Amino acid sequence: MAQILFFGRLMDVTGKAEETITLPDTVRDTSALRRWLDQDRGLQGALLEKTVRLAINNEIVADPHPVNDNDEIAFMPPVGGG
Amino acid sequence: MAQILFFGRLMDVTGKAEETITLPDTVRDTSALRRWLDQDRGLQGALLEKTVRLAINNEIVADPHPVNDNDEIAFMPPVGGG
Amino acid sequence: MLRVSSEPFNAGEELSAFERDAAGAGAVVSFTGLVRDHASSGDVKSLFLQAYSPMTERGIEEAITAATERWPLTALKVIHRVGEMAPGEAIVFVATASAHRRAAFEAADFLMDYLKTEAVFWKKEATETGEHWIDPRSEDYQDRARWA
Amino acid sequence: MLRVSSEPFNAGEELSAFERDAAGAGAVVSFTGLVRDHASSGDVKSLFLQAYSPMTERGIEEAITAATERWPLTALKVIHRVGEMAPGEAIVFVATASAHRRAAFEAADFLMDYLKTEAVFWKKEATETGEHWIDPRSEDYQDRARWA
């Protein structure tokens, strides 16, 4: 089971901050994960945007990066504090 | 009688912060005042330095500027706060 | 010194404590970011700040290290709030101390540019007309690029 | 707002009061100059600041006017001490408030460059080895020239 986190505006788009899912066999990397989740939830490309970065286990990664069950996978829209 | 003020290091050089003097007839402008006071007090050029500016009645002036009895005349070495 | 917390703080008290620690430094610069009370979409009711720990803290610590390597600082403090806050409340506080003012000014400026564009936070503003997620402005990215 | 006074002040308390007045501003920058505790001539015992009123105040007011014309500030405060002070005490405090941080940073920086090189003050530092009048450093004049 992978832990999926949605931050910022993606929390509103998906209607949740996190969920625990079993990755389908076809989803082996971040690029595939973006496509599958976006289509499965009918998000019309919100998870495919280039400005949305993925972090695996608290480290930002570049697509395509392997994903595994037990990973914590975060979808991160553009950041900025202050 | 003119009021003469010495600020900063000139206070130490002259040994006083202010004095009231009668200007000699020969002293009619700031350039003459510098030369006369410096020589009269044996200050070896301390009042002639270009970095020392003169203010008359709280306004900085450029040499030579007329001086009169009743003026408040300040000798101001380089300034800087903070 | 870094603190990321949902606790409100008073920038003046933080500055007093910082200057006690930094005594002898000569120059102290502080920046405080306050929740604005008006946005283009109307009066601001509240601001919500979300972080992703420990990535958020790790990133800020790296920026702090970069600042201390680049400028001769004798003390440095960063406080950043998360959670819900009201207009006028302090969101962020950065203080820097150095022997001379240029280093203190530049380091505080540098840290704020990092915090505005790269620190791992997401901001949502609630106004009369609804809620809006706020991205950095293009000026923020331009400011950040000055240090490259 | 300008205050030139021999009264000691606490920069943190001044910042708290300033931020109450500047609520809604978004960005607040403060600079505090503290009496250093060590100079090249030894440990500092005291610092003496001399002003020439009202020329001193008039000059700072002109610099404040120049800053408010150049940057969109919502609040501004300058406090400068005169007389005798001890290491660690605050000599000068500048605070600026604006909607965005760049204006607040630059205006505080500008005012400090004025205060360091053109404000009508004379400074004497007393150390273990005697008393020394302090002129601005060449870096101070270079910093000031940035705004011409």
Side-chain angles (χ1 to χ4, degrees):
Chain A
M1 306 282 276
Q3 183 81 357
I4 311 289
L5 308 179
F6 300 107
F7 284 103
R9 69 181 82 248
L10 295 177
M11 217 168 41
D12 291 350
V13 168
T14 62
K16 60 188 70 176
E18 56 181 283
E19 63 179 309
T20 305
I21 57 174
T22 303
L23 298 174
D25 288 346
T26 53
V27 172
R28 291 278 162 246
D29 66 43
T30 50
S31 301
L33 175 64
R34 285 176 188 259
R35 286 192 301 270
W36 170 70
L37 256 186
D38 194 82
Q39 187 161 36
D40 189 64
R41 309 296 151 93
L43 300 180
Q44 300 181 296
L47 302 185
L48 306 180
E49 285 176 25
K50 284 201 173 115
T51 59
V52 172
R53 292 179 296 174
L54 264 72
I56 296 185
N57 302 323
N58 233 269
E59 293 281 356
I60 289 173
V61 298
D63 294 314
H65 189 283
V67 293
N68 295 293
D69 271 344
N70 301 320
D71 280 345
E72 176 180 287
I73 305 167
F75 284 84
M76 300 171 53
V79 297
Chain B
M1 306 282 275
Q3 180 82 358
I4 311 288
L5 308 179
F6 300 108
F7 284 102
R9 71 180 81 248
L10 295 177
M11 217 167 39
D12 291 351
V13 167
T14 61
K16 59 187 71 173
E18 58 183 278
E19 63 179 311
T20 304
I21 56 174
T22 302
L23 298 175
D25 287 347
T26 54
V27 173
R28 292 277 163 244
D29 65 43
T30 51
S31 301
L33 175 64
R34 287 176 187 259
R35 285 193 304 270
W36 170 69
L37 255 187
D38 193 83
Q39 189 163 32
D40 188 66
R41 309 296 151 93
L43 300 179
Q44 302 180 299
L47 301 186
L48 306 180
E49 285 176 26
K50 286 205 173 109
T51 59
V52 172
R53 291 180 297 174
L54 264 70
I56 297 186
N57 302 324
N58 232 268
E59 293 282 356
I60 290 173
V61 297
D63 293 315
H65 189 280
V67 293
N68 297 293
D69 270 347
N70 301 318
D71 280 345
E72 176 181 286
I73 305 167
F75 283 83
M76 301 172 51
V79 297
Chain C
M1 205 285 283
L2 168 65
R3 189 166 91 232
V4 175
S5 159
S6 59
E7 283 297 305
F9 66 88
N10 178 289
E13 288 170 18
E14 299 295 342
L15 180 62
S16 291
F18 185 76
E19 292 189 356
R20 273 194 301 278
D21 296 345
V28 173
V29 168
S30 82
F31 177 88
T32 314
L34 303 167
V35 180
R36 60 183 175 176
D37 56 9
H38 195 81
S40 56
S41 59
D43 285 351
V44 174
K45 286 163 29 182
S46 66
L47 184 71
F48 172 74
L49 258 288
Q50 184 182 34
Y52 182 24
S53 294
M55 188 189 288
T56 302
E57 288 83 351
R58 204 171 59 220
I60 301 174
E61 290 287 7
E62 286 171 10
I64 287 173
T65 300
T68 55
E69 286 171 354
R70 188 157 178 169
W71 291 280
L73 305 176
T74 55
L76 191 164
K77 183 196 271 186
V78 175
I79 303 171
H80 206 296
R81 277 196 61 191
V82 291
E84 191 99 6
M85 51 205 91
E89 287 190 350
I91 310 165
V92 61
F93 178 78
V94 168
T96 53
S98 187
H100 296 294
R101 71 189 179 290
R102 188 109 316 280
F105 267 117
E106 290 185 0
D109 203 2
F110 168 88
L111 284 165
M112 279 312 306
D113 286 345
Y114 171 83
L115 289 166
K116 282 280 181 180
T117 58
E118 294 186 43
V120 179
F121 292 103
W122 296 273
K123 288 196 284 197
K124 185 160 67 172
E125 198 170 56
T127 65
E128 300 157 316
T129 63
E131 297 187 337
H132 311 268
W133 289 95
I134 305 173
D135 285 341
R137 302 167 304 145
S138 58
E139 291 93 323
D140 292 324
Y141 292 117
Q142 287 161 20
D143 284 348
R144 176 71 183 139
R146 294 178 300 159
W147 310 103
Chain D
M1 207 286 282
L2 167 64
R3 189 167 88 233
V4 175
S5 159
S6 59
E7 283 297 304
F9 66 88
N10 178 289
E13 288 170 17
E14 298 295 342
L15 180 62
S16 291
F18 185 76
E19 292 190 355
R20 273 194 301 276
D21 296 344
V28 173
V29 168
S30 82
F31 177 88
T32 314
L34 303 167
V35 179
R36 59 183 176 175
D37 57 9
H38 195 81
S40 57
S41 59
D43 285 351
V44 174
K45 286 162 28 182
S46 67
L47 184 70
F48 172 74
L49 256 289
Q50 184 182 32
Y52 181 24
S53 294
M55 190 189 287
T56 303
E57 289 84 352
R58 205 172 55 219
I60 301 174
E61 291 287 6
E62 285 171 10
I64 288 173
T65 299
T68 55
E69 285 171 355
R70 188 157 176 170
W71 291 281
L73 306 176
T74 56
L76 190 164
K77 183 196 272 187
V78 175
I79 303 172
H80 207 296
R81 277 196 61 193
V82 291
E84 192 97 8
M85 50 204 93
E89 287 190 351
I91 310 166
V92 61
F93 178 79
V94 168
T96 53
S98 187
H100 296 294
R101 72 189 178 290
R102 187 107 319 279
F105 267 117
E106 290 185 0
D109 202 0
F110 167 87
L111 284 166
M112 279 311 305
D113 287 346
Y114 170 83
L115 289 166
K116 282 279 181 182
T117 58
E118 295 186 41
V120 179
F121 292 102
W122 296 273
K123 289 196 284 196
K124 184 160 67 172
E125 199 171 55
T127 67
E128 301 157 316
T129 61
E131 298 188 336
H132 311 268
W133 289 95
I134 306 174
D135 285 340
R137 304 167 302 145
S138 59
E139 292 93 323
D140 292 323
Y141 292 118
Q142 287 161 23
D143 284 348
R144 176 71 182 139
R146 294 178 301 158
W147 310 104

